[in-house]
Amino acid sequence: MFFDAFGTDTFLLLTALLLFSGVLVAKFSSRWGIPSLILFILVGMLFGSDGLGIIYFDDASTAQIIGVFALVIILFEGGLHTKWKTVRSVALPSLSLATLGVLLTSLIIGFSAYLIFNLTILEGMLLGAIVGSTDAAAVFAALKERNIKAKMGATLEAESGTNDPMAVFLTLSLIELLTAQDRSIWMMVPMFFVQMGMGLLFGIVLGKLASFSINRIKLDSSALYPIFSVAFALVTYSVTAFLGGSGFLAVYVAALVVGNSELTYRYSIFQFNEGFAWMAQILMFIILGLLVFPGQVFTSAIMLNGLLLSALLILVARPVAVFLSLIKMGYSVKEKLFISWAGLRGAVPIVLATFPIVNGIENSQVMFNIVFFIVLTSALVQGSTISYMAKKLHLVGPKKDVPHHSIELISMGKASAEMIQYQVSPESVVVGQKLRDVEFPNRANISAIIRNNQVITPYGETEIKAGDFLYILVEAKYKDQLKKVLEQRVERRASE
């Protein structure tokens, strides 16, 4: 392992420098209009052997372990923030994109790679499977706080969160076909349904177990709850994968269950996982950048043929897969075009490209270099133009109102009190009312109001406005009653 090449002090210093570089890159990526993953990878390439030569790293096995770990954290964080009410309406089309869409994309790119590069048909199909899925890390990062219509955002996030299992299944199946003489493609079909079924089942069961445990266990510090949630994410992946199911699908489903449940210390759990996912994303892309040797990737043969394959992926394979997968599912041509364009490739294809190297597949290094170049072009071309394409296709939604603030409470595990965050929707009956006129349940007090990123001290004459974030301190046993009151008021106003 490359860690052995450095002393402890040097290793810690390099880790700090890499994290500092990643944070600075994340700050400027949105300002420059360049996806952060591109800059993270460039940082890794800069520190690598073909750059400044500070770190020599060619251990595909280590990169694979780090990549899988990071993807579990990123998928879990993405699932936590996904609203089931939004995803439920696009569940079927997202599932179609995540299965049929990935299969069609893999077949088209696989056959194209067979024709363009000096690969066998199975090796070409393996390359196609590796780049067949969109990337959760790239899509979540690209759509975060961008003004994309809710339907489009929900479809893309649900697809990217659930299509990794299909790509992993196809990749591992084709590796088995290349390495085992007695394997048949028809033997793989039942395995697919077993893996997906187990992933879905374990995700739901372990997600419910995680929610129940978080709410019932009494920990001495609120800081322990986020760590507890991450432990469940890792257990969900490892147990499911060990028993032969799809660990990635299980993690995303479990996160959906947890994120849409009432949780103790919800804010702390969400904030911790968001920060942890950023760190995982930074380290993963930097490590993958270190694994790459630019002298091997940026050759005339790889670049010219890679550009051709990237163009086929972006302009042919992805649109064909999207249009066929979404037949008669209520999407307009403009919406299908946008979904086609927003199918970003990122960490998942690069991580999957390490599997052929680890398994000793012939031409695996060539496939890795091609995949890496495709990811760079996809992220650079598509990722930097998502907002532009949304405007051109008239799919820009309302500005996302995200509270850039926090209200921290001391640990109240023994006091059984919780702080509930509630954003006032425009159709709510409480809009325009003064606090003293709102009939909140007993034991519920508004502690603060956030309006336009400003803290408003609440008192009886304070008028509630649409978009306000209400922070309500309530005893845990009255939380469900408070939720019912708030939801009933919204539904009553909407029905009038």
Side-chain angles (χ1 to χ4, degrees):
M1 294 176 64
F2 82 103
F3 306 107
D4 299 332
F6 306 102
T8 302
D9 296 339
T10 304
F11 172 71
L12 292 177
L13 177 60
L14 287 173
T15 302
L17 290 175
L18 291 175
L19 287 174
F20 273 128
S21 301
V23 171
L24 291 175
V25 159
K27 176 177 176 60
F28 291 106
S29 65
S30 58
R31 182 177 301 178
W32 295 339
I34 301 175
S36 56
L37 71 90
I38 292 287
L39 300 179
F40 294 152
I41 288 175
L42 291 179
V43 168
M45 294 169 66
L46 178 65
F47 278 80
S49 55
D50 280 2
L52 298 176
I54 298 174
I55 302 174
Y56 181 86
F57 179 66
D58 63 353
D59 191 341
S61 297
T62 300
Q64 185 182 114
I65 293 170
I66 294 173
V68 170
F69 175 84
L71 288 173
V72 169
I73 301 302
I74 292 166
L75 276 172
F76 187 71
E77 191 271 339
L80 285 178
H81 286 85
T82 302
K83 301 296 183 185
W84 173 242
K85 289 183 179 179
T86 305
V87 172
R88 182 170 53 191
S89 61
V90 297
L92 182 59
S94 297
L95 184 61
S96 179
L97 287 169
T99 51
L100 178 61
V102 172
L103 179 61
L104 292 173
T105 302
S106 300
L107 290 174
I108 295 172
I109 294 302
F111 188 71
S112 301
Y114 162 69
L115 295 177
I116 296 172
F117 297 95
N118 188 26
L119 301 173
T120 66
I121 185 65
L122 280 180
E123 290 172 347
M125 290 300 167
L126 175 58
L127 193 152
I130 290 171
V131 298
S133 69
T134 60
D135 182 67
V139 172
F140 291 159
L143 297 181
K144 190 169 290 186
E145 297 188 24
R146 296 201 181 186
N147 304 332
I148 309 298
K149 280 191 175 180
K151 180 182 178 182
M152 296 295 94
T155 302
L156 290 167
E157 289 186 3
E159 177 203 6
S160 64
T162 56
N163 68 2
D164 293 345
M166 183 66 171
V168 172
F169 170 77
L170 291 175
T171 299
L172 295 180
S173 297
L174 285 163
I175 288 176
E176 283 196 39
L177 290 175
L178 284 164
T179 55
Q181 299 297 326
D182 58 342
R183 284 288 184 177
S184 168
I185 187 66
W186 301 112
M187 296 173 62
M188 306 297 177
V189 176
M191 290 176 55
F192 170 75
F193 292 100
V194 171
Q195 288 187 15
M196 298 305 112
M198 291 182 64
L200 181 61
L201 176 63
F202 277 87
I204 293 173
V205 172
L206 292 176
K208 288 184 177 295
L209 179 61
S211 302
F212 177 83
S213 301
I214 290 171
N215 288 329
R216 293 297 185 272
I217 192 171
K218 298 297 182 181
L219 300 176
D220 292 334
S221 172
S222 61
L224 295 174
Y225 288 90
I227 299 174
F228 196 57
S229 69
V230 171
F232 260 104
L234 297 175
V235 166
T236 298
Y237 173 84
S238 57
V239 169
T240 307
F242 179 78
L243 294 175
S246 173
F248 288 124
L249 179 60
V251 167
Y252 186 73
V253 171
L256 273 175
V257 174
V258 173
N260 288 275
S261 303
E262 290 294 334
L263 294 177
T264 300
Y265 298 108
R266 183 184 189 86
Y267 179 80
S268 298
I269 291 172
F270 276 49
Q271 287 297 99
F272 176 88
N273 278 279
E274 184 175 4
F276 197 23
W278 267 108
M279 187 175 73
Q281 187 178 167
I282 290 171
L283 289 177
M284 174 179 62
F285 283 121
I286 290 177
I287 290 294
L288 294 176
L290 288 172
L291 186 63
V292 173
F293 289 80
Q296 297 178 11
V297 175
F298 298 108
T299 62
S300 57
I302 294 293
M303 291 177 67
L304 289 175
N305 292 327
L307 280 174
L308 177 58
L309 203 58
S310 293
L312 288 171
L313 173 62
I314 296 171
L315 302 176
V316 179
R318 171 68 177 177
V320 167
V322 168
F323 274 75
L324 291 178
S325 299
L326 297 180
I327 291 176
K328 296 183 179 180
M329 291 196 182
Y331 288 79
S332 67
V333 173
K334 288 184 177 180
E335 290 173 337
K336 292 177 182 178
L337 287 173
F338 179 75
I339 293 173
S340 301
W341 189 258
L344 301 180
R345 268 61 189 173
V348 172
I350 302 178
V351 172
L352 290 180
T354 64
F355 282 75
I357 297 176
V358 173
N359 286 273
I361 301 296
E362 189 176 355
N363 294 318
S364 58
Q365 189 60 51
V366 173
M367 284 189 277
F368 180 87
N369 294 334
I370 296 168
V371 169
F372 186 84
F373 188 79
I374 289 174
V375 169
L376 284 182
T377 53
S378 170
L380 189 60
V381 174
Q382 295 171 279
S384 59
T385 55
I386 284 182
S387 295
Y388 173 79
M389 290 298 292
K391 291 179 182 178
K392 283 294 182 181
L393 295 172
H394 305 291
L395 296 174
V396 177
K399 184 178 179 180
K400 291 185 178 180
D401 195 359
V402 181
H404 299 285
H405 54 266
S406 65
I407 293 182
E408 296 292 344
L409 298 176
I410 61 172
S411 174
M412 296 188 298
K414 298 179 181 179
S416 298
E418 298 181 28
M419 183 70 76
I420 304 297
Q421 176 186 285
Y422 173 75
Q423 185 179 14
V424 180
S425 58
E427 67 270 16
S428 175
V429 295
V430 302
V431 173
Q433 291 194 39
K434 295 180 180 179
L435 288 182
R436 58 179 173 80
D437 298 326
V438 180
E439 297 180 0
F440 288 110
N442 293 330
R443 308 285 185 173
N445 298 302
I446 296 182
S447 301
I449 298 176
I450 307 296
R451 180 179 300 158
N452 299 324
N453 288 326
Q454 299 293 321
V455 179
I456 307 296
T457 302
Y459 61 100
E461 296 297 316
T462 302
E463 182 179 315
I464 300 175
K465 296 184 178 181
D468 283 353
F469 286 88
L470 308 181
Y471 285 84
I472 308 170
L473 183 63
V474 61
E475 289 189 22
K477 60 183 178 180
Y478 294 106
K479 185 173 60 176
D480 291 339
Q481 182 182 351
L482 174 63
K483 181 181 177 182
K484 288 180 181 178
V485 170
L486 293 172
E487 290 180 348
Q488 286 173 355
R489 290 178 182 276
V490 173
E491 292 171 359
R492 192 186 307 160
R493 173 79 171 256
S495 63
E496 290 175 355

